[in-house]
Structure formats: C-alpha cells, structure tokens
Amino acid sequence: MKNKIAIILFTLLLISCNSKQQENKINKTDNLKKETSSKIISKKNESDTVDYQISTFDNPEDADRISRQKESLKRLSEKKVFFNIHNKLIEKINEEQQSFFEKNNNYELLSVAKGSLFQENSNDFVFTVYDKKNVKISFLLYNEKTAAYAELYKDIKVINGLKDADCDFYSFGTLDYQFADEFLVYSEDHLTKSIETYLQYTSVKITDISKAQDFALKEGCFAKNVSKTNLANTLCLATSAVYNNWECLRYDKTNNTFFIFFGQAFAD
C-alpha cells in the first residue's frame, strides 16, 4: 500500500514538473516574440522619422504649379532647344555614356559633371536630363563601381540637412525643380533664340568645396553637427542662374542616401 502511494505521489510530482517546464517554454517563446516585435516596431518608427525629400515633380500637393512648368519644358523640347543642348554636350562624354543615352532616347542631356562621388578615385557621373516621357527634369547618377544608373530622389533618397539649420535663404521646390525654374523656364524666350550663354554656365559640379573658388564657406550655411573636415567628393547643384547660389550634397553609403549639408545664397 505504501509503495502504491509513493508511486502515485511520484507520478503527480512528474506531471507537475512537466507542466511547469512547458509553461516556462511558452512564456519564453511569448517573451521572445514580444521582444522581436518590439525591435521591428522600433526600427520601423526610426525609419519613419527620417524626413526624405519628395521631388517637387512627384509631389501631388504641387500639381497645379508643376503643370505650368511642365508646359514650358515641353515647349522647349518641341522647339528642339534641349535637343541642341544635348548634341553639344554628348560629344564631351565617353562612348559608354553616349551609348546609354542612345539606348534611352527619352532623356535629353542638359548638363554633366564627372568626378569621384561614390568612392575615392572613381569616374562617376552626374547628368541633368529632361525626361520626355514624364515631362520633368531629373538628376541621373552613374556609379562606376557598380556600373549602375540611379535617379536622385527616386532611387537614391535625399535628406535636407539645411531645413533646420537656421539658414537665411529659402527657395521653393527640390533641386530638380529649382534647376528647371532658374535655368530653363525663366529663360525660355532667350533659350529659344540662343543656347550659347546657357552652355557657358556650369550648373553641376563634383568637387572639394574647401578648394573650389565658387564656394565661400564662411558666408554659406552648414547643416547642424556636420563634419567640415572632409569636403571632397561633394555634389553641388546651382540654384540660381544669376547669383553664385549652390546647394551641396554628400553621399552616405551606409544607407544609400544623399545629405544636403551645405548651401550658399548671396549676390556676388
């Protein structure tokens, strides 16, 4: 009888232990799921807080204003103004890049810059183009290392570090819109008659802004907490056809973005 009671008690003890172990496993699994879910949400929220710029051409809030600009761009293209600029510039780039434009004839080349942009000692390119298909201006970037083309704002995101930098200048629209407005739409009548003055002006550069004479760093504006020690491999885009106004971007390969970190806007 005593043996039977002992066996029963031992069996109950085993059942109790197994039940507790199973409960611990379930709790651990639930905690792991919660912890993983929390990390995912945290990363998602962190990503959502990044204020990436939307190209003005793709922003539905600016549709009415953009439609007027598109009409002007389309007229310039139909009058062969962009075609004539394209033919002048295409001669200055290598056969590989010429081949790209031959295969993608919806792009009309409006400006070009060459230099080390994505990595040191590379032959990268930046092209300002008129996109006939979408009736807009775009910046195409060629990365020599990957042999790939990407469109700024669309394929490579842009963060505007000058937005909260207390700079004393403001212009409506993203840099692609500003180029169209300043160099093309505003000068539509003049461009229809002659493109020579346009061709003499450099509107895009890959440079070291600490050494290039166009940039007055003390007069300009830097984004907050940005490093000012290494200013090479910088993409600079002109924002005025009259004044020495620029905004400059730096590539961040860790997250495949461009950061607008310097700007200047003043009469010279």
Side-chain angles (χ1 to χ4, degrees):
M1 185 68 180
K2 290 181 179 180
N3 289 337
K4 286 184 178 180
I5 294 172
I7 291 170
I8 291 170
L9 291 173
F10 181 71
T11 302
L12 290 173
L13 182 62
L14 284 176
I15 292 171
S16 176
C17 289
N18 287 338
S19 177
K20 195 165 186 179
Q21 286 178 354
Q22 190 66 23
E23 184 181 344
N24 287 338
K25 285 182 180 178
I26 292 171
N27 289 337
K28 283 182 180 179
T29 302
D30 288 343
N31 289 336
L32 182 61
K33 286 181 179 178
K34 288 178 182 178
E35 188 177 328
T36 303
S37 177
S38 177
K39 286 181 180 179
I40 292 172
I41 292 171
S42 177
K43 285 183 179 179
K44 186 176 180 182
N45 289 339
E46 184 180 342
S47 175
D48 290 342
T49 59
V50 178
D51 187 16
Y52 296 118
Q53 285 195 310
I54 300 173
S55 170
T56 306
F57 287 105
D58 299 322
N59 193 337
E61 295 179 2
D62 303 315
D64 291 339
R65 189 167 185 171
I66 290 301
S67 65
R68 294 192 296 271
Q69 191 187 78
K70 285 190 171 187
E71 289 173 6
S72 179
L73 293 174
K74 190 175 181 180
R75 280 195 302 270
L76 285 164
S77 181
E78 290 173 345
K79 291 176 181 178
K80 303 297 182 182
V81 173
F82 295 159
F83 176 78
N84 293 333
I85 295 172
H86 174 97
N87 285 344
K88 291 284 187 180
L89 295 177
I90 203 74
E91 299 173 354
K92 300 180 179 181
I93 58 179
N94 60 35
E95 291 183 2
E96 181 184 4
Q97 306 306 325
Q98 289 178 1
S99 177
F100 169 81
F101 283 100
E102 288 171 3
K103 294 174 183 176
N104 297 273
N105 56 15
N106 60 303
Y107 293 137
E108 291 181 311
L109 182 59
L110 300 178
S111 67
V112 58
K114 178 182 177 182
S116 299
L117 181 61
F118 293 99
Q119 57 272 323
E120 296 294 335
N121 303 316
S122 58
N123 292 313
D124 305 316
F125 283 88
V126 178
F127 303 106
T128 308
V129 300
Y130 171 65
D131 183 345
K132 291 187 286 186
K133 182 179 178 180
N134 296 297
V135 193
K136 67 174 187 176
I137 297 300
S138 294
F139 297 116
L140 298 182
L141 312 175
Y142 174 75
N143 186 329
E144 184 192 38
K145 184 177 181 180
T146 60
Y149 295 84
E151 182 180 326
L152 201 64
Y153 299 109
K154 180 182 177 182
D155 303 312
I156 302 182
K157 301 296 185 183
V158 177
I159 302 171
N160 185 7
L162 301 181
K163 184 178 179 180
D164 303 314
D166 301 323
C167 298
D168 295 328
F169 62 91
Y170 168 80
S171 295
F172 171 79
T174 49
L175 291 164
D176 46 0
Y177 175 89
Q178 290 185 53
F179 173 86
D181 203 45
E182 281 288 329
F183 291 92
L184 306 174
V185 175
Y186 183 76
S187 304
E188 181 178 351
D189 292 338
H190 181 74
L191 284 171
T192 303
K193 297 174 184 176
S194 173
I195 62 172
E196 294 307 315
T197 302
Y198 171 89
L199 290 171
Q200 292 171 7
Y201 194 94
T202 301
S203 60
V204 56
K205 294 183 177 184
I206 300 174
T207 187
D208 182 337
I209 61 173
S210 66
K211 299 176 181 178
Q213 63 179 5
D214 287 321
F215 303 97
L217 303 188
K218 292 182 180 179
E219 302 294 335
C221 177
F222 281 93
K224 292 179 179 178
N225 303 319
V226 71
S227 172
K228 302 175 186 178
T229 56
N230 181 11
L231 301 176
N233 312 109
T234 297
L235 168 61
C236 293
L237 301 167
T239 56
S240 174
V242 179
Y243 303 116
N244 190 29
N245 296 357
W246 298 84
E247 288 190 18
C248 297
L249 305 86
R250 179 181 291 161
Y251 180 66
D252 185 346
K253 64 181 179 181
T254 60
N255 55 13
N256 191 36
T257 61
F258 271 97
F259 183 71
I260 304 177
F261 74 96
F262 174 78
Q264 64 183 40
F266 54 89
D268 58 347

